[in-house]
Structures are given as structure tokens and as C-alpha cells.
Amino acid sequence: MATDSVALPVVYGGSTRPPRGDYSRGGQVALDYTCPQNYAAYTEADHNTYRRLYERQCKLLPGLACDEFIAALPSLGAIDRIPRFDDINERLTKATGWRLVAVPGLIPEVPFFTLLANRQFPVTDWIRKPEEFDYIVEPDIFHDLFGHVPLLFDPVFADHMQAYGAGGLKAHGLGACEQLARLYWYTIEFGLMQQADGLRAYGAGILSSSGELVHAIKSAEPQRIALDVLRCMRTRYNIDAYQQTYFVIDSFQQLFDLTAPDFTPLYARLNMLP
Ligand code: PHE
Ligand code: FE
């Protein structure tokens, strides 16, 4: 679906730093910001980075990641090289009707929400440099794929992500994207779940970070509180340090149910509160 029109680079999250991806790619980026996964561009060093990140993270998962994530991880396929999105899609679409689409990096809110509402998940196709092995400011393919995609194989979580996309479009119309972004941050990115056998992570920002995975579950420092949508939307977050607060759910069904009500009155209330 490439077009002649070049999608404009975006500045996101109130940052003045320009995004790192190449948003022109010689006309390969469509108006909805999707593009072909540039598989030929990966070097052996890139595949190697992916394999090393995958290996390190996999070893950490038992006892720290939720069961649904661990069960679905093998569905990503290749572990020794960067997977092809088309290959994952053959399984993912059968499982939950979702499909991965490649993007050159972070994209603006409306196209992002629109893709999610249509059960299409945007995955950045480039990978970090070896010197960014432990920390990268912007999401790359390892964060997007390893962190987010396994749970799209879970039927309840998959439905929640679609509902989030539709809710995002609505929030955009109501000027409430910032509030909704906090919910995203504390659930889809940094959410914890109380499982029968202990506390586990399901948020992609935790699951794709070796340091935060241990910190989120084991450290005595952060506070961990039961998910409350209003409180969550009133809690500011930090993008460049481990979280000081984590919100905990019991199950994806609970997450789905807590976020199912119409947020319109909630946004109105939030605007009145300090
Ligand atoms: N129920 C929310 C609304 O009406 C939409 C939503 C669903 C938001 C799921 C987040 C997650 O606005
Ligand atoms: Fe993410």
C-alpha cells in the first residue's frame, strides 16, 4: 500500500527530539504510516543483537512473566534471527484475528489508534545498535515484538487492545489523549498481574527490559497498587527511569471489564480535579 505521498516525520510525547526512523523510505511509507518490513536491511549484527536480547530475556521469564506471555512466546517463531512479520501473521491471524504491520518508528496518535481499532499492530522494523543493548529511548523491534506481540495471541488481551484503539479515537475527539496514555502506560506497558502463584509482569515495557523485569517484581522500592482507572489516569509517569508505581490486575478479564465502561464522564471528572 505504498503511496507517492511521503508521511511526515512526527514528534511525539511532547519531545522536541525528532524520531529516529526514516519516514520517507523512498515512498515506501503509506499514509497510515505502515511500510513493508525491510528485511533485506538487517545485517548479521542486527540478527545477532536480536538473538542475544531474546536469549537474555527468555532466561529471566520464569517466575517474573505472566503465564499467558510465557505460553505464547514460542508463537513468535525464529529465536536466532529477527522474525518475519508475515510468518508470525500466519499464526497470529488464526489465533485472534490480529495482524502485525511494519512502521518506521513511533507514529502519531490517530493512525496508531486506527490501526489498533482494526486489529493491526504496528511494529517498528529496525533494531537498536549493539551499544544500546541494555537501554534504548525509543521502541525498536525487540521492544515492539518481544514485549507486545505474544499477548496478542491471548483472546481476552487481544480484544482489550482493540477496545483501547477504539477508545483512543474517542479520547482524541474529547481531548483526553493524555489521560488515556497514562492508562496505556500503567497497563499495556508497565502492568503487573497477581497470579495464583505470585506477582508477574504483563506490560511490554517490563517484559522487554532485563533490569525492569527484576525491579518490577522483586524490588522493595516501588509501590504496587490494585488497578484503579481514575487513580491511574491521575498518576504521572517517568519515561527514563524504573517506575515508582505499578498497577496490579488479577486477570486480563478484569482489565477488560475495568476499562469497558464509557470513559466520557471520567474524562470530565478528571478535568475538574487538580
Ligand atoms: N471504555 C473506554 C471508553 O469508553 C475505551 C477503552 C477501552 C479505553 C479499553 C481503554 C481500554 O472510552
Ligand atoms: Fe510499547
Side-chain angles (χ1 to χ4, degrees):
M1 267 218 310
T3 69
D4 292 332
S5 331
V6 169
L8 288 175
V10 283
V11 170
Y12 51 88
S15 167
T16 49
R17 186 170 48 82
R20 163 158 160 186
D22 172 5
Y23 289 74
S24 64
R25 296 219 190 156
Q28 293 271 292
V29 178
L31 288 174
D32 65 357
Y33 285 85
T34 63
C35 59
Q37 181 185 15
N38 195 356
Y39 205 85
Y42 300 134
T43 63
E44 274 314 304
D46 290 338
H47 289 300
N48 200 33
T49 299
Y50 184 87
R51 180 183 54 72
R52 287 169 54 224
L53 285 165
Y54 189 102
E55 247 173 45
R56 173 173 74 174
Q57 217 55 18
C58 248
K59 284 190 196 136
L60 286 171
L61 299 178
L64 300 178
C66 69
D67 289 345
E68 291 88 340
F69 183 88
I70 293 178
L73 189 60
S75 302
L76 293 187
I79 61 172
D80 56 334
R81 16 210 332 106
I82 297 171
R84 288 183 190 268
F85 299 165
D86 289 346
D87 172 55
I88 295 175
N89 282 341
E90 283 183 22
R91 295 180 289 277
L92 181 58
T93 305
K94 267 183 216 139
T96 58
W98 275 78
R99 187 161 72 83
L100 309 184
V101 289
V103 286
L106 285 161
I107 65 174
E109 281 157 356
V110 171
F112 178 68
F113 295 145
T114 306
L115 288 172
L116 296 184
N118 290 300
R119 289 175 104 86
Q120 296 182 45
F121 191 78
V123 178
T124 299
D125 69 350
W126 51 265
I127 194 157
R128 68 195 70 182
K129 301 210 176 76
E131 57 272 26
E132 297 165 306
F133 196 72
D134 289 317
Y135 181 74
I136 178 165
V137 208
E138 230 172 282
D140 71 339
I141 189 173
F142 186 73
H143 167 79
D144 284 350
L145 199 62
F146 186 95
H148 286 283
V149 175
L151 290 181
L152 293 176
F153 282 85
D154 180 89
V156 180
F157 192 85
D159 285 350
H160 173 256
M161 284 296 282
Q162 177 180 19
Y164 179 87
L169 290 171
K170 189 167 93 184
H172 182 80
L174 296 168
C177 282
E178 200 180 320
Q179 280 96 326
L180 192 66
R182 289 188 185 155
L183 181 68
Y184 186 91
W185 186 266
Y186 286 116
T187 58
I188 294 164
E189 291 294 350
F190 290 96
L192 298 183
M193 174 160 22
Q194 186 63 50
Q195 257 181 217
D197 54 347
L199 191 65
R200 300 287 189 274
Y202 72 90
I206 304 177
L207 291 164
S208 62
S209 154
S210 64
E212 187 133 8
L213 185 48
V214 178
H215 172 87
I217 303 295
K218 300 279 187 210
S219 170
E221 266 169 54
Q223 51 170 344
R224 301 178 180 86
I225 49 191
L227 178 62
D228 171 276
V229 173
L230 185 74
R231 177 152 181 197
C232 181
M233 288 186 179
R234 295 187 72 198
T235 309
R236 284 178 211 285
Y237 58 84
N238 224 326
I239 66 158
D240 51 16
Y242 294 155
Q243 302 307 304
Q244 290 168 339
T245 304
Y246 295 98
F247 288 89
V248 185
I249 59 170
D250 297 332
S251 64
F252 291 138
Q253 190 60 51
Q254 187 206 20
L255 176 62
F256 187 90
D257 294 343
L258 284 175
T259 53
D262 182 2
F263 285 175
T264 311
L266 197 67
Y267 296 145
R269 256 178 84 197
L270 280 161
N271 283 329
M272 315 286 291
L273 291 168

